[in-house]
Amino acid sequence: MASELVLILFEQWNQALQSGDPKRVTELYAHDAVLLPTISDLVRHNPQEFKDYFILFLKNEPKAHLVESNVRTYTNIAIHSGIYHIQLNQNRQVQARFTFVYQKIKTQWLIVEHHSSQMPEQ
């Protein structure tokens, strides 16, 4: 897997956020993925919990912008980590560090782990 594909997967996730459709975002995650979301204290473990989070999060009209991007690829696993800014409701911005772990499941690359946390230092 080329690092360019990882950036395409990130952009698909970002476009799904901007669609406002929680189902579209949730479909990018494996059924047994783990989501540690940016603006929630709850760890999410399954598609219903992912959808519940994105129903709330998408009300903020999020749009992510990569600031730092680090990609490592293996045979059927890719790891993308770094920093992004997430624009919310066109007037609030959250700077967060992130890690996406993708796995090729059958013919599709899905998110199996996603951690996003606000930067602790202002």
Side-chain angles (χ1 to χ4, degrees):
M1 173 185 213
S3 60
E4 296 82 22
L5 181 54
V6 173
L7 296 177
I8 290 169
L9 293 170
F10 175 83
E11 191 53 36
Q12 287 175 346
W13 175 81
N14 195 18
Q15 292 297 318
L17 290 182
Q18 293 173 56
S19 76
D21 181 355
K23 183 176 184 266
R24 184 172 163 193
V25 182
T26 299
E27 289 173 345
L28 300 175
Y29 291 80
H31 289 299
D32 61 349
V34 174
L35 170 62
L36 295 108
T38 311
I39 59 171
S40 172
D41 292 338
L42 300 176
V43 177
R44 311 300 170 126
H45 302 93
N46 60 62
Q48 185 58 53
E49 291 178 357
F50 308 152
K51 186 176 177 186
D52 290 345
Y53 170 71
F54 286 115
I55 287 170
L56 297 173
F57 185 63
L58 295 180
K59 290 179 182 178
N60 294 301
E61 301 174 0
K63 182 176 183 180
H65 304 277
L66 288 173
V67 175
E68 180 179 331
S69 179
N70 304 284
V71 175
R72 291 167 288 151
T73 60
Y74 305 96
T75 305
N76 67 341
I77 296 283
I79 303 168
H80 185 201
S81 59
I83 298 170
Y84 50 35
H85 289 160
I86 300 177
Q87 186 75 33
L88 302 173
N89 294 326
Q90 301 179 359
N91 61 1
R92 181 175 161 227
Q93 185 170 281
V94 173
Q95 183 171 311
R97 50 196 164 190
F98 69 88
T99 301
F100 287 94
V101 179
Y102 299 96
Q103 182 177 7
K104 189 171 186 182
I105 300 172
K106 297 183 182 176
T107 60
Q108 186 177 12
W109 287 93
L110 295 172
I111 299 165
V112 294
E113 185 88 17
H114 178 193
H115 175 205
S116 180
S117 58
Q118 293 185 49
M119 299 291 275
E121 299 174 10
Q122 295 299 321

